[in-house]
Amino acid sequence: MIEDLFLIEKQTYRDSFIHRLDARVKIIISFAAIIAMVAVPYSTTVYSVGSLLIIFFLVLWVFSRLPPSVYIWRLVMVLPFGIFIIVAQIFFTNPHYAVFHPIVTLPLNIHIYAESIEFATILLVKFLVCISFIILLSSTTKMQDLLEGAGRLGFPPEFSLIMGLMIRYLFVFAYMYRKVTEALETRCFNPLSREIPWKYRIRMLGYTIGTMFVRAYEQGERTYYAMLCRGYDRDSRLFIRKKPLVPGDWCFLVCGMVVVVAAPILVWFDIIRLI
Amino acid sequence: MHLIETRDLTYVYPGGVTGLDGVNFIAPRNARIAVIGANGAGKSTLFKHFNGIMKPTSGQVLVHGEPITRANIREVRKMVGVVFQNADDQIFSPTVEQDVAFGPTNLGLDEETVQHRVQEALRMVGMEDRATRVPHHLSGGEKKRVAIAGIIAMEPQVLVLDEPTAGLDPQGVSDLVGFINSLSRTYGMTVIFSTHDVSLVPEIAEYVYVMGGGKIVARGNMSDIFEKDELLTSVRLDLPCIPKLIRSLWEHGIEIDMAYTQKDAESAFLRAFRGSG
């Protein structure tokens, strides 16, 4: 999991038209797409809107010159969190339908309803669209740029500072984790090895996790002292330089917003219907 | 009036261990002071008292003749900049530029001034082309320079460096020595630093404090300190390379003047060998 952090960072350092866009443009378009998708009422209209937005996402992904495997891998990593809630829906009724028709009856009087399956599918489409744009945003924008972009868009300075610290120490912690892992490997410790007793393995993993906690605590204390040395107080904020958008960014922002806004409107008025 | 002065400074850690025991320390204006001592001697603990990070159990810390209070703590921290041993403790912003700008921003300066100070500080440490880099992509030496830039950007009168050469390669040490000397000579900054590397001391400092067991066990200039073998042994330190070599030559009957810095040693050797030739 920690290594994925470096993998994501590596993708953001690639070079493409999408990578070079200002972070604000990517944030606005991604969140506009998410809002557009979430705002569509629970009906089969979602399929068409979702399809249009996914096509838009795919076009952007192609322009970003990232391999499809990156998207698939990251989607697989995220899916379990949403898929559980989506799958659970098929066993329950919900307020979006008046009548429910059971298509499968399971023991303990559990039913799978046709309407609930439709509802779960709608949720899945919404979930996929939202996650896809988040994956695109985070795969083409460095975390530091995302924070600066959010700051320039009016993200509260208190949060920017905390998020900045989090980003910085996420990587410090990742390197610390890597060093601890290497230290264990150097001394031939493998937590999955059956050659050493499981109790010993559990105990050593416990020590390691404990050490990481203690180190994190000590790091926090030292960092706080260092912040105080540089005048940290409740009014402290992260320095974010003013940066105007270049014409290319404006152009992409306008075009992107037209697509995102037009997709639900065209489907809503039955001008386009893909599914 | 001294820039920094401690009077009978004592600090006892919450666990009951005495960190500092009656320390009297003086840092005059434009001085270059080394604090040497073994691990656990109390050097870092002393440094953390200079800008009010730690509060004395007893005794006093005076900055510009004034005791540190809640009312003047901000002014004190602006005046006394402390660079910690581990740069990762000190670099906490997502980019180099943002980190160096953290102190000046906290001083309430306008954006233009902050930007100017950041550029100037990065230029002084030779990192002006790495402003947009993320800290975890920097080497140890680069991180150290960014940490120093973060303090310099606040334009302190006193720069306190805790083990500045720890983890640096020889070129990094050499660069840092030149940089610290330029800070003192060009900008009139008072520099206080701690180190285990006794050979570094004469290259930067003009005055030395020796610490052991939380106390100041000796103070003086190079000859005062490095001519006392027993003192160095008692605090688990060694003689710097150059005086050690000269003493060794004395034992072989070669007459040569004592020197502590590389430059003085060069002159002494030339005099000795030209004289004998």
Side-chain angles (χ1 to χ4, degrees):
Chain A
M1 194 67 108
I2 293 282
E3 292 304 317
D4 290 334
L5 182 69
F6 295 107
L7 186 71
I8 293 170
E9 194 198 22
K10 195 175 156 193
Q11 305 307 333
T12 64
Y13 274 86
R14 284 172 176 250
D15 186 34
S16 76
F17 163 63
I18 303 292
H19 283 82
R20 284 193 296 272
L21 280 173
D22 190 281
R24 281 168 290 183
V25 174
K26 288 183 267 187
I27 292 171
I28 292 171
I29 289 179
S30 299
F31 279 86
I34 290 168
I35 291 166
M37 191 69 258
V38 172
V40 176
Y42 284 96
S43 65
T44 47
T45 316
V46 166
Y47 300 147
S48 292
V49 178
S51 304
L52 285 174
L53 289 175
I54 281 288
I55 290 168
F56 180 47
F57 158 77
L58 289 174
V59 170
L60 296 180
W61 190 268
V62 170
F63 275 121
S64 74
R65 291 158 59 186
L66 289 167
S69 56
V70 171
Y71 170 67
I72 293 164
W73 173 243
R74 293 195 58 194
L75 188 66
V76 167
M77 296 291 284
V78 177
L79 268 183
F81 296 100
I83 223 73
F84 174 75
I85 298 168
I86 291 165
V87 169
Q89 296 303 319
I90 64 173
F91 301 107
F92 301 101
T93 58
N94 60 68
H96 297 283
Y97 299 89
V99 183
F100 286 86
H101 299 92
I103 50 172
V104 178
T105 301
L106 299 167
L108 301 170
N109 205 24
I110 296 170
H111 303 287
I112 296 176
Y113 302 101
E115 289 76 11
S116 297
I117 289 177
E118 187 180 276
F119 178 68
T121 317
I122 290 169
L123 268 186
L124 179 66
V125 171
K126 287 193 177 214
F127 176 75
L128 279 178
V129 170
C130 296
I131 288 299
S132 298
F133 275 93
I134 289 294
I135 291 174
L136 177 72
L137 177 66
S138 57
S139 301
T140 57
T141 322
K142 296 176 195 115
M143 284 192 203
Q144 299 76 20
D145 293 346
L146 268 179
L147 187 67
E148 280 191 14
R152 290 186 184 115
L153 287 171
F155 192 58
E158 294 83 359
F159 291 138
S160 299
L161 184 65
I162 300 296
M163 293 291 283
L165 281 170
M166 191 198 78
I167 292 171
R168 167 74 184 116
Y169 285 101
L170 199 58
F171 286 97
V172 172
F173 185 78
Y175 278 107
M176 198 190 286
Y177 172 83
R178 206 183 245 181
K179 279 180 194 164
V180 169
T181 313
E182 283 166 1
L184 290 174
E185 281 171 6
T186 306
R187 288 184 279 168
C188 304
F189 178 78
N190 178 4
L192 303 174
S193 167
R194 286 170 184 267
E195 291 170 14
I196 42 180
W198 67 270
K199 274 187 180 175
Y200 173 78
R201 283 184 274 152
I202 297 276
R203 194 167 67 236
M204 290 317 294
L205 279 177
Y207 288 158
T208 309
I209 294 165
T211 305
M212 294 290 283
F213 270 114
V214 172
R215 284 194 189 184
Y217 170 77
E218 288 174 347
Q219 180 69 62
E221 200 171 49
R222 289 195 300 267
T223 301
Y224 180 63
Y225 285 150
M227 289 170 80
L228 288 179
C229 282
R230 288 158 71 189
Y232 172 75
D233 63 17
R234 63 182 176 178
D235 296 322
S236 292
R237 60 191 169 85
L238 202 65
F239 176 72
I240 297 175
R241 213 164 6 97
K242 286 196 181 84
K243 186 185 169 195
L245 287 182
V246 296
D249 289 331
W250 277 113
C251 187
F252 186 85
L253 179 64
V254 171
C255 296
M257 287 303 287
V258 166
V259 174
V260 169
V261 173
I265 292 175
L266 293 176
V267 173
W268 189 255
F269 290 105
D270 254 345
I271 299 167
I272 294 178
R273 186 163 286 269
L274 295 180
I275 299 171
Chain B
M1 191 192 302
H2 303 295
L3 275 182
I4 296 178
E5 183 179 357
T6 68
R7 291 180 186 162
D8 289 325
L9 176 62
T10 297
Y11 181 79
V12 181
Y13 280 99
V17 177
T18 303
L20 296 174
D21 188 4
V23 171
N24 290 303
F25 179 96
I26 289 170
R29 197 178 291 273
N30 202 11
R32 281 170 286 135
I33 301 169
V35 180
I36 57 175
N39 287 335
K43 306 184 293 291
S44 301
T45 310
L46 175 66
F47 285 1
K48 281 178 186 165
H49 280 84
F50 288 162
N51 69 349
I53 291 295
M54 282 184 158
K55 293 178 180 64
T57 307
S58 67
Q60 264 191 321
V61 181
L62 306 175
V63 177
H64 264 303
E66 295 284 326
I68 301 174
T69 60
R70 281 177 75 91
N72 68 6
I73 190 87
R74 207 176 159 81
E75 206 52 39
V76 165
R77 285 178 183 157
K78 186 183 159 191
M79 216 181 301
V80 183
V82 180
V83 179
F84 287 3
Q85 184 177 348
N86 182 357
D88 275 328
D89 298 344
Q90 194 148 350
I91 304 173
F92 38 74
S93 300
T95 66
V96 167
E97 183 190 42
Q98 285 175 333
D99 196 77
V100 178
F102 184 78
T105 308
N106 290 335
L107 297 179
L109 303 173
D110 61 83
E111 190 181 325
E112 205 177 313
T113 315
V114 170
Q115 248 176 299
H116 173 73
R117 284 204 185 184
V118 170
Q119 282 167 2
E120 186 59 19
L122 287 175
R123 190 193 59 75
M124 282 168 75
V125 298
M127 293 286 289
E128 64 270 42
D129 56 338
R130 290 174 176 79
T132 55
R133 294 275 288 272
V134 291
H136 61 275
H137 288 180
L138 301 176
S139 68
E142 287 173 331
K143 279 187 197 171
K144 183 71 84 179
R145 285 196 269 170
V146 171
I148 294 173
I151 295 297
I152 288 175
M154 295 177 76
E155 297 187 350
Q157 292 178 26
V158 186
L159 183 66
V160 182
L161 301 128
D162 192 3
E163 299 280 357
T165 56
L168 293 187
D169 55 33
Q171 188 58 48
V173 173
S174 174
D175 290 347
L176 194 76
V177 169
F179 170 68
I180 292 173
N181 282 329
S182 75
L183 279 181
S184 171
R185 287 178 186 137
T186 315
Y187 301 95
M189 212 178 266
T190 298
V191 177
I192 305 169
F193 69 100
S194 68
T195 186
H196 289 127
D197 183 359
V198 282
S199 294
L200 184 75
V201 175
E203 300 296 338
I204 300 177
E206 56 198 10
Y207 202 79
V208 185
Y209 280 85
V210 183
M211 289 191 77
K215 293 178 180 173
I216 302 283
V217 293
R219 70 188 75 194
N221 56 27
M222 298 308 138
S223 54
D224 293 337
I225 301 300
F226 293 125
E227 282 175 11
K228 295 172 185 163
D229 290 347
E230 282 176 15
L231 168 72
L232 293 174
T233 311
S234 70
V235 290
R236 301 169 62 83
L237 291 175
D238 201 3
L239 202 60
C241 288
I242 291 170
K244 202 174 189 176
L245 174 67
I246 291 174
R247 279 202 201 177
S248 171
L249 291 173
W250 284 351
E251 283 168 18
H252 287 86
I254 296 171
E255 285 186 17
I256 185 167
D257 297 333
M258 177 49 87
Y260 296 97
T261 65
Q262 193 183 331
K263 200 175 168 187
D264 291 346
E266 189 183 328
S267 308
F269 276 91
L270 285 173
R271 274 197 306 275
F273 291 122
R274 279 179 185 155
S276 66

